[in-house]
Amino acid sequence: MEKHKLVFVGFGSLGDVVPLLAVAVHMQADGHHVMFLANEYFKDFIEQRGVKFQPIGTIADQLAAKESEQSTGESKEGRAHRFDRIIGRSFEPAFRYLKGLVDAGIRPVVISHGNLSPAVFACEAFGLPTIMTYYSPSHIPHNDEDAIQFFAHQGKNAWFLRHIRIPFQKWMQRIHFDVKDEYNGYRIQCGLPPLPGLLRTVWNSITRKRIRIGVRIGKRIALLPGWFCEPIDKNLADVKFVGFPFLDSSTAALDGEIERFLASHPRPIVFTPGTAVEDVRDLCAQIVPICRKVGSPAIFVSKHGRAAFDAIPKVDDVQMLFVEHADFGSLLPKARCLIHHGGIGTVAQAIRAGIPQIVRPRMYDQPANGLRVMMFGLGGSLAPTHFNPNTVARALLHIENSPLHKERIPYYSNLVRQESGAENCAREIESFLQELGREQRAKTSEKLDGGHACSPTEGGGEALA
């Protein structure tokens, strides 16, 4: 099979980079030429897996985008700040790198995630073949059922949601979104026209004038099992569900400090706020009271939480350990429960480990992910306003003694362990590459029949090594 130049583009926190990196490792093992674009912060992590790396952002920008009291995704200002640091400043270097490939006669296949990927401007400008991946049900475009289910769970009228609120919100998003001005500024910087304003959008709608702005996506892949996304909009037949991708083996060795702690204090509750979260004081304040109520030691895993953890008054009856990072594939099967923010990668790790999880969601897709954890009998979900030692202890003891949860947790754990999301995604990418090859050969043949030869890079989107 012909091998291709594949460019993976990741952005966000470590949890956003890992799924694509797992797929990139598979594609490189199959002989494809792989380059991974991400913030310089992830350079060592990516290169340790043997994948070539190209920075499209600075470490300072990545660190400035932490979830903190001053900058949080729960506010419009915080979202704008995080957009600028994590995505906005990456548009131009990603554009420049991909333009360099095109200028050299190479048309790579671009694989990224999310509709605001730093790669979309270059893909739009040069018509590059593009594969877009989605990490959670809430990320899948036009998946209205996800929003309907979530808001209906809160007591909202489902008919009103389906026919009034969501169509109106989608219309408003076409006109304006939080960072439209910033987004247009970066479009102009890369030589692309800005998105049309309100009057132009309305006029184009009235006259049915189609303005082609944006990247044409050749394939859509959800890095999720199909069952976790149910109920889902039935019009999304073009989305391929491949399962959760995991980077590290569940048999990897644990850090020696963690191993020694587990030897003396087995089955701890593992707490984590997410890799990019700095505002962890409220969660830290709950660790000792929760562990006292259920009689467990604790391991707190947090990249930016050392100071908050050190401020916890230490007690003799609750043994605690702080680590910046842990291999969840190895740690969680030895844990009693995982209490976390509701990021989809962390949800997947707990499911695979076959342990209860309690979600403390705050923003983004986390509340909807927490709802699905409850729906499928995988654990509980408590908003920060309801998250306290009493509610957490009741939830955990209920889950541990519930026949439903005792059946569901190992059942879904077995499903996830039997399915390789990274391998399945690689297979979908291979099918896309084969189709590209067939289309390019057909176009080349047509031009040759017409009396002139054609370069393999002309107009067809063929990816070359």
Side-chain angles (χ1 to χ4, degrees), residues 9-13 16-17 37-40 42 55-58 60-67 78-96 112-122 132 135 139 177-180 182-187 189-190 364:
V9 184
F11 63 96
S13 66
D16 298 302
V17 170
L37 276 59
N39 188 281
E40 189 178 2
F42 303 108
I56 56 171
T58 67
D61 283 338
Q62 185 71 28
L63 292 177
K66 296 191 299 285
E67 290 286 351
R79 289 191 294 273
H81 174 75
R82 287 175 59 77
F83 168 82
D84 175 56
R85 293 287 185 162
I86 288 182
I87 303 176
R89 301 188 188 191
S90 298
F91 280 128
E92 194 277 332
F95 186 94
R96 185 172 63 248
S112 192
H113 62 99
N115 296 320
L116 288 178
S117 164
V120 294
F121 291 171
M132 199 63 71
Y135 290 171
H139 291 166
F177 59 99
D178 281 356
V179 293
K180 183 176 182 179
E182 295 88 344
Y183 185 77
N184 277 337
Y186 288 116
R187 286 183 64 86
Q189 180 181 341
C190 292
Y364 308 130

Side-chain angles (χ1 to χ4, degrees), residues 219 221 240 242 424-433:
K219 197 175 191 73
I221 302 175
K240 302 298 182 182
V242 297
N424 292 341
C425 183
R427 192 176 299 117
E428 291 292 336
I429 295 173
E430 291 283 7
S431 71
F432 178 77
L433 298 178

Side-chain angles (χ1 to χ4, degrees), residues 136-138 146 149-150 153-154 228 244 338 340-348 351 357-384 399 405:
S136 72
S138 298
D146 191 72
Q149 168 194 238
F150 175 69
H153 177 74
Q154 297 180 323
F228 189 79
F244 294 121
L338 176 65
H340 64 103
H341 58 303
I344 192 64
T346 312
V347 169
I351 297 173
Q357 55 184 302
I358 296 177
V359 178
R360 182 183 180 270
R362 290 176 55 187
M363 64 198 86
Y364 308 130
D365 61 324
Q366 297 166 10
N369 293 339
L371 177 60
R372 279 189 160 80
V373 165
M374 292 192 295
M375 281 176 52
F376 291 103
L378 299 166
S381 181
L382 296 164
I399 293 165
H405 289 87

Side-chain angles (χ1 to χ4, degrees), residues 30-49:
D30 288 340
H32 294 284
H33 305 268
V34 171
M35 177 65 74
F36 204 104
L37 276 59
N39 188 281
E40 189 178 2
Y41 180 83
F42 303 108
K43 179 177 187 294
D44 292 343
F45 183 81
I46 292 168
E47 290 185 338
Q48 286 170 3
R49 273 71 186 177

Side-chain angles (χ1 to χ4, degrees), residues 316-338:
D316 293 335
D317 57 332
V318 176
Q319 300 301 313
M320 298 184 294
L321 174 69
F322 171 86
V323 292
E324 284 194 2
H325 173 75
D327 181 85
F328 278 177
S330 300
L331 171 59
L332 294 187
K334 301 178 181 180
R336 177 178 177 181
C337 173
L338 176 65

